[in-house]
Amino acid sequence: MTEQILNLLTEQGKAFEAMKEANDRRLEALEKNHAVGELTETVAKIQNELINNRKQIEALEKEAAAKNSLQFSTNKTGPQELREELMDIYKGGFFQNAVRTDDEGDGGYAVPEGLDKKIDDYIMADVKLLQLCTVAPFIANYKKDVTIIPATVTDGTEGVAATETTTPKLEQVTAVEGKLLAKAKVTEESRRDLMFSPEEWVKDNISMIMAETLEQRLLSGTGADGETLGILKQPYNFCADATRSFKTIQCIKTGANGNFVAFDSDTGVGPLDCLKDARGSLKSAYRRGAVWLMNTVTESLIQKLKDSEGNYLWRPGLVAGEPNTLFGYPVHISDFMPDPATNSLSILFGDFKRAVRVGYGNSTYVVRDNITVFPDIFLMFSKFYDLTLRDSRALKMIKFAQKND
C-alpha cells in the first residue's frame, strides 16, 4: 500500500508540472488572441487527473489508518460479532445486558457498543470538519464564556501605587443542536444470508448517510428543523477584527461575481489579492494552525492562478500524509463547500480548531419498525450533535462578489 501511495504522489507531481505547462501555453495563446479550446480541454483533463489522484491517495491513507487505529475499547468487534449485534436489534433484543438502554424519549435505545463504534469510525474518517474542528462529547444546551478582551498588564515601580488595570471582557457562546437520522431496511433475506456483510451494510446504510448529512449541516445548516447553524450561515461582515462585533466572521470579496478578479496591469490588482487579504487579516496566533477549505471546483480555479512574477502558488502534496498547499498552508477539500457563483461563500481560511467546537453524540440510538414493511424491518438510527462558533476571529470567509456589491 505504501508503494501505491508513493507512485500516486510521483504521478501527482508530474501531472501538476504538465498542467502548468499546458496552462502557460493557454495563457500565452490568450494574449495573442489565438484559439484556446484545445488547450483549455487539456488543462481540464489534467486537473481531473489531479482530483482523481488525490482521492485515490486519501482512500489508501484512510485504509492504512483504519488498519493501524487503536480501538476505543478493549472489545474487538469483528464481522461475526457485528452481525450478531445487528440481528439482535433486528429481533428486538438490543443486548440488554451489554449496553446502556436508557430511553431516548421517543422509543429509541442506545445500540450495542461494537456497532456504535463501527458507525463512529466511518463517520470520523469521512467528515472533513470533524478532522479540522475541535470535537468534544455532545452536551445538551452547551454554553461557554470566552474572553474577548483580556486583562491588561501594567508596569510597576517600587514604592509607587499600582494603577488599576482593565477588567477582562467575557462573551457567552452557545451551541446550536442538531440530530442526524438514517433510516435503513434490513430484509428477511439478508437476515438469513450467511454471506451478508454487516460492515458493508453499516457503512452503506448508516454511516455514509450520517456522514454526508453531518458534513452538509456543519457547513450550511440553517439552525432550524433539527439542523445546527452551519459555519457558512453564521453572521459575517466586511469589517476587520478591531471593529467587528464578536461572533461575526470577517468576509473578504474576490472582486468579481462568481470568479476571481482578472489581473489589472494599471492598478496591480490581481486574482490572488483576496487570498492574500484573508491570510494577512488573520492574526499570527491563528495562522500557526490555519488551513484552507474549499471544494474541487474552487481548487481547480486556484491551481491556474499565478502571482505577478508568474509563480504558481498552489502546490501538490508530494509526501505521504502531506496535503496540497496554498501560500504554504494546507488545502482541505469538502464536496459540500459551494461552487464559485455570484455571492457564493466558497472558501474558508483559518484555525478551525480554535474557531469551531463540534459536540458529537456519545451514543447512537435506534428505533425498530417491524410493522410498516413486514416481514422486513426498518431501523431508524439517530445521533445528536451541535456546533459552536467559539472564536469568530480565527476564521475568514471569501465571497465571490464584486467589491462594490
Side-chain angles (χ1 to χ4, degrees):
M1 185 179 297
T2 302
E3 186 176 350
Q4 285 180 280
I5 293 175
L6 291 176
N7 289 338
L8 286 167
L9 289 168
T10 301
E11 291 177 13
Q12 181 163 274
K14 292 178 179 178
F16 183 58
E17 292 302 318
M19 193 279 293
K20 289 195 296 183
E21 181 183 349
N23 191 54
D24 287 342
R25 288 190 281 122
R26 182 185 69 86
L27 294 173
E28 184 179 347
L30 280 172
E31 290 178 0
K32 297 178 179 179
N33 293 320
H34 292 172
V36 296
E38 186 175 339
L39 287 170
T40 300
E41 289 180 6
T42 300
V43 171
K45 181 179 178 181
I46 298 173
Q47 287 187 310
N48 284 332
E49 291 176 7
L50 283 167
I51 291 170
N52 292 331
N53 185 287
R54 175 184 54 78
K55 288 181 177 179
Q56 291 181 62
I57 292 172
E58 287 181 349
L60 288 170
E61 289 177 340
K62 189 185 297 183
E63 184 179 343
K67 289 182 178 179
N68 298 325
S69 66
L70 296 174
Q71 300 291 328
F72 291 144
S73 71
T74 56
N75 296 330
K76 304 287 185 178
T77 304
Q80 183 57 36
E81 290 82 2
L82 197 61
R83 178 188 175 90
E84 290 175 0
E85 291 185 1
L86 274 174
M87 291 308 103
D88 195 68
I89 291 176
Y90 186 97
K91 293 180 289 186
F94 297 105
F95 276 125
Q96 298 288 339
N97 62 340
V99 67
R100 283 176 33 219
T101 56
D102 43 325
D103 193 329
E104 183 195 10
D106 58 4
Y109 291 89
V111 303
E113 181 183 354
L115 175 58
D116 196 26
K117 184 191 180 304
K118 187 62 64 178
I119 293 171
D120 283 346
D121 284 347
Y122 287 130
I123 292 176
M124 288 290 184
D126 288 342
V127 179
K128 180 61 66 175
L129 283 169
L130 291 183
Q131 300 163 27
L132 298 180
C133 301
T134 295
V135 179
F138 173 82
I139 301 173
N141 303 314
Y142 175 80
K143 298 177 182 178
K144 183 177 177 63
D145 289 330
V146 296
T147 302
I148 62 169
I149 300 178
T152 56
V153 177
T154 185
D155 296 322
T157 303
E158 186 175 356
V160 178
T163 58
E164 186 176 351
T165 59
T166 304
T167 302
K169 183 179 179 181
L170 301 177
E171 286 272 1
Q172 187 176 81
V173 294
T174 59
V176 179
E177 299 173 6
K179 185 177 180 181
L180 299 173
L181 294 173
K183 187 176 183 179
K185 183 168 75 172
V186 182
T187 65
E188 179 71 13
E189 290 77 14
S190 67
R191 186 175 69 86
R192 296 194 302 262
D193 185 4
L194 295 178
M195 301 302 293
F196 170 70
S197 170
E199 291 202 17
E200 289 301 313
W201 188 89
V202 169
K203 181 178 180 180
D204 294 341
N205 291 276
I206 309 170
S207 303
M208 187 179 297
I209 296 170
M210 282 190 165
E212 290 179 353
T213 302
L214 182 59
E215 183 92 334
Q216 190 276 332
R217 299 291 191 265
L218 292 177
L219 284 170
S220 302
T222 62
D225 300 324
E227 300 180 12
T228 191
L229 185 65
I231 297 172
L232 298 176
K233 298 298 184 181
Q234 300 288 337
Y236 69 86
N237 62 37
F238 306 99
C239 301
D241 288 355
T243 56
R244 194 178 67 257
S245 60
F246 192 67
K247 295 189 281 191
T248 303
I249 300 173
Q250 182 178 3
C251 186
I252 295 157
K253 295 180 180 180
T254 60
N257 285 330
N259 209 330
F260 293 98
V261 69
F263 181 76
D264 188 327
S265 57
D266 294 330
T267 63
V269 174
L272 293 170
D273 287 355
C274 63
L275 303 173
K276 294 176 181 177
D277 290 344
R279 179 189 61 176
S281 63
L282 196 68
K283 292 181 179 178
S284 59
Y286 301 124
R287 286 202 297 270
R288 287 192 289 269
V291 301
W292 302 94
L293 185 67
M294 62 191 75
N295 69 13
T296 54
V297 177
T298 308
E299 185 184 41
S300 295
L301 280 178
I302 290 175
Q303 285 172 348
K304 294 180 285 189
L305 299 181
K306 297 195 289 185
D307 63 16
S308 58
E309 298 178 354
N311 299 311
Y312 289 89
L313 296 177
W314 183 92
R315 294 283 187 273
L318 300 178
V319 178
E322 179 183 286
N324 304 328
T325 60
L326 176 63
F327 291 113
Y329 294 95
V331 176
H332 291 279
I333 300 298
S334 170
D335 293 335
F336 294 94
M337 285 292 289
D339 289 346
T342 299
N343 294 323
S344 65
L345 297 168
S346 298
I347 302 175
L348 292 170
F349 176 68
D351 187 339
F352 284 77
K353 289 194 180 299
R354 297 182 68 169
V356 178
R357 175 195 181 276
V358 177
Y360 185 74
N362 292 324
S363 296
T364 305
Y365 293 89
V366 62
V367 176
R368 177 175 173 271
D369 175 3
N370 61 342
I371 297 174
T372 305
V373 289
F374 182 83
D376 300 333
I377 299 291
F378 270 141
L379 299 177
M380 179 73 80
F381 292 86
S382 63
K383 182 182 285 286
F384 290 100
Y385 72 100
D386 62 40
L387 182 144
T388 309
L389 180 64
R390 61 180 190 175
D391 191 344
S392 58
R393 299 163 298 186
L395 203 58
K396 307 295 176 181
M397 294 176 169
I398 293 182
K399 186 175 187 177
F400 281 68
Q402 294 183 0
K403 293 290 185 182
N404 56 359
D405 285 353

